[in-house]
């Protein structure tokens, strides 16, 4: 940090296993990615190339290598996994992962229906070659999953070898753990936390009010995902009580 302040909460140190900030790159150019890293690199733990953007991103290999050279793991959005799967190209997906030196993989079923036992089978296979983040929750706002089912799915996927489970919200933050307005489904979140360790959950939280909710509920070292690149510094300040929303949260503790 640039100067001394007392009563700043202890953040976990990189490489972190919790207190993660996962950022979504939806199409930064190489120069934009370099500029982003020049500011945010110390505060970014994982970088997702959103949904299927990696298929159409120019200079993809150079971009991946750029992030990896900053010791930031890169992974493809779960939608790409599903796109390969629905085309019966699972082996091709594995070959792409290996070719690009990807060490983190998102397994999701937000756009297609995969029998859960089959999804867990993919997690088990992929966990042998990479760190698996499995996404739970539908991208369909009409498909409401009851809390007991979230817990059941998350437990099974962690048991199959996922290192983290991602609580679905989309990049807009209006499905899954949120209502269409973006409001947190608080009962759902708190019930999930009775059974699933918070350190194992990455909460997709693209909106400031959603980030604030989880910081107040779990603390400065909550795992948060789907951050826009330009929001990383703001989030880190909010994590440690240096933004108006959390200014009094950690004082005198």
């Amino acid at each position: 940090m640039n100067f001394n302040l007392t009563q700043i909460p202890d953040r976990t140190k990189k490489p972190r296993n919790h207190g993660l900030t996962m950022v979504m790159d939806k199409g930064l150019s190489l120069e934009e990615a370099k500029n982003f890293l020049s500011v945010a690199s110390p505060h970014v733990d994982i970088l997702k190339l959103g949904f299927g953007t990696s298929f159409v991103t120019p200079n993809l290999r150079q971009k991946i290598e750029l992030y990896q050279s900053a010791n930031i793991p890169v992974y493809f959005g779960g939608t790409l996994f599903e796109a390969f799967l629905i085309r019966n190209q699972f082996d091709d997906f594995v070959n792409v992962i290996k070719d690009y030196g990807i060490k983190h993989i998102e397994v999701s079923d937000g756009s297609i229906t995969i029998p859960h036992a089959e999804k867990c089978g993919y997690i088990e296979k992929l966990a042998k070659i990479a760190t698996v983040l499995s996404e739970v929750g539908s991208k369909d706002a009409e498909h409401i999953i009851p809390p007991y089912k979230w817990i059941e799915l998350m437990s099974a996927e962690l048991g199959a070898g996922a290192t983290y489970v991602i609580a679905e919200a989309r990049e807009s933050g209006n499905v899954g753990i949120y209502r269409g307005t973006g409001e947190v489904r608080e009962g759902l979140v708190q019930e999930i936390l009775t059974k699933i360790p918070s350190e194992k959950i990455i909460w997709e939280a693209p909106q400031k009010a959603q980030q604030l909710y989880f910081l107040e509920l779990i603390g400065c070292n909550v795992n948060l995902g789907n951050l826009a690149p330009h929001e990383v510094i703001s989030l880190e300040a909010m994590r440690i009580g240096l933004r108006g929303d959390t200014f009094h949260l950690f004082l005198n503790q």
Side-chain angles (χ1 to χ4, degrees):
M1 299 302 139
N2 294 319
F3 28 76
N4 179 54
L5 275 176
T6 63
Q7 300 182 62
I8 298 293
D10 289 333
R11 284 283 279 126
T12 49
K13 306 295 185 220
K14 292 182 71 173
R16 303 180 237 268
N17 55 27
H18 69 285
L20 305 177
T21 294
M22 178 266 275
V23 173
M24 183 189 285
D25 175 343
K26 296 193 290 184
L28 296 180
S29 70
L30 276 178
E31 286 305 312
E32 287 171 331
K34 289 175 185 175
N35 290 338
F36 159 63
L37 288 175
S38 72
V39 174
S41 179
H43 309 297
V44 179
D45 300 287
I46 319 176
L47 194 293
K48 172 164 69 173
L49 300 175
F51 32 100
T53 55
S54 52
F55 185 74
V56 294
T57 296
N59 304 309
L60 177 62
R61 195 176 300 276
Q62 294 97 309
K63 181 187 274 194
I64 290 170
E65 290 172 352
L66 174 67
Y67 287 133
Q68 291 173 336
S69 70
N71 295 316
I72 296 173
V74 178
Y75 69 98
F76 299 138
T79 301
L80 188 72
F81 164 78
E82 296 178 52
F84 272 94
L85 205 61
I86 203 168
R87 292 167 172 81
N88 297 312
Q89 290 183 258
F90 177 73
D91 290 342
D92 291 337
F93 175 75
V94 172
N95 290 336
V96 167
I97 292 298
K98 291 179 177 177
D99 180 41
Y100 282 91
I102 299 293
K103 301 299 183 185
H104 287 61
I105 298 173
E106 181 177 322
V107 175
S108 66
D109 56 355
S111 298
I112 64 175
T113 299
I114 309 172
H116 196 243
E118 187 179 325
K119 182 183 181 186
C120 288
Y122 288 120
I123 292 170
E124 190 173 350
K125 288 178 186 175
L126 293 169
K128 294 174 181 175
I129 63 169
T131 297
V132 172
L133 304 93
S134 65
E135 189 173 66
V136 176
S138 175
K139 289 180 170 59
D140 181 357
E142 302 302 316
H143 184 204
I144 304 298
I145 302 173
Y148 81 89
K149 193 66 177 176
W150 281 82
I151 292 167
E152 184 181 295
L153 297 173
M154 287 179 164
S155 296
E157 293 174 23
L158 288 169
T163 300
Y164 298 98
V165 286
I166 300 172
E168 170 71 78
R170 298 189 76 173
E171 70 270 18
S172 52
N174 60 2
V175 299
I177 53 172
Y178 305 110
R179 298 185 173 88
T181 59
E183 181 186 3
V184 181
R185 295 174 60 195
E186 293 189 42
L188 168 63
V189 167
Q190 293 179 24
E191 194 159 341
I192 289 171
L193 287 169
T194 65
K195 300 293 183 182
I196 308 296
S198 64
E199 293 85 357
K200 289 292 184 180
I201 306 171
I202 298 175
W203 309 94
E204 292 188 338
Q207 299 180 25
K208 186 180 78 164
Q210 297 165 352
Q211 298 157 17
L212 177 62
Y213 171 82
F214 286 107
L215 288 169
E216 291 178 334
L217 181 67
I218 296 170
C220 70
N221 288 311
V222 64
N223 300 322
L224 296 174
N226 277 14
L227 267 290
H230 65 275
E231 294 288 343
V232 172
I233 294 295
S234 298
L235 172 63
E236 194 62 29
M238 190 157 69
R239 281 188 184 273
I240 58 173
L242 294 178
R243 189 169 178 170
D245 310 87
T246 56
F247 190 84
H248 297 281
L249 199 55
F250 305 108
L251 291 176
N252 302 315
Q253 288 189 9

